[in-house]
Amino acid sequence: MFMHYDQLCTTQKALVHRKLIARTKAPQEVVYKVLTHINPVLKIIDQDVLMMYYMMSKIEQRIQEELRMTNTE
């Protein structure tokens, strides 16, 4: 069953953070900020995090924007 990010337990959120940090190479604070803002729909199966492709693209794009904003400050 797919669930929104804010409905996940702490352990599941930590798994999502680790997977996204590994994929995007972004700092944890940026990943957390983007996930709480977008609140994507996810599915966790064992240690796998599943989401729609367009949602992953949107998250990656938002992370890149956040990183650009923090680099210009």
Side-chain angles (χ1 to χ4, degrees), residues 7 11-12 27 38 41 48 54 56 65-68 73:
Q7 295 174 318
T11 307
Q12 291 172 323
I38 294 177
V41 177
D48 293 326
Y54 77 92
M56 185 65 211
E65 290 171 4
E66 287 291 327
L67 290 173
R68 270 190 237 113
E73 292 176 356

Side-chain angles (χ1 to χ4, degrees), residues 54-67:
Y54 77 92
M55 187 58 69
M56 185 65 211
S57 295
K58 184 176 180 180
I59 291 170
E60 288 176 327
Q61 180 181 16
R62 189 71 58 91
I63 286 173
Q64 291 303 318
E65 290 171 4
E66 287 291 327
L67 290 173

Side-chain angles (χ1 to χ4, degrees), residues 3 5 7-17 42 44 49:
M3 306 173 86
Y5 171 78
Q7 295 174 318
L8 300 176
C9 71
T10 306
T11 307
Q12 291 172 323
K13 286 182 180 181
L15 176 65
V16 174
H17 293 171
L42 309 160
I44 309 264
V49 178

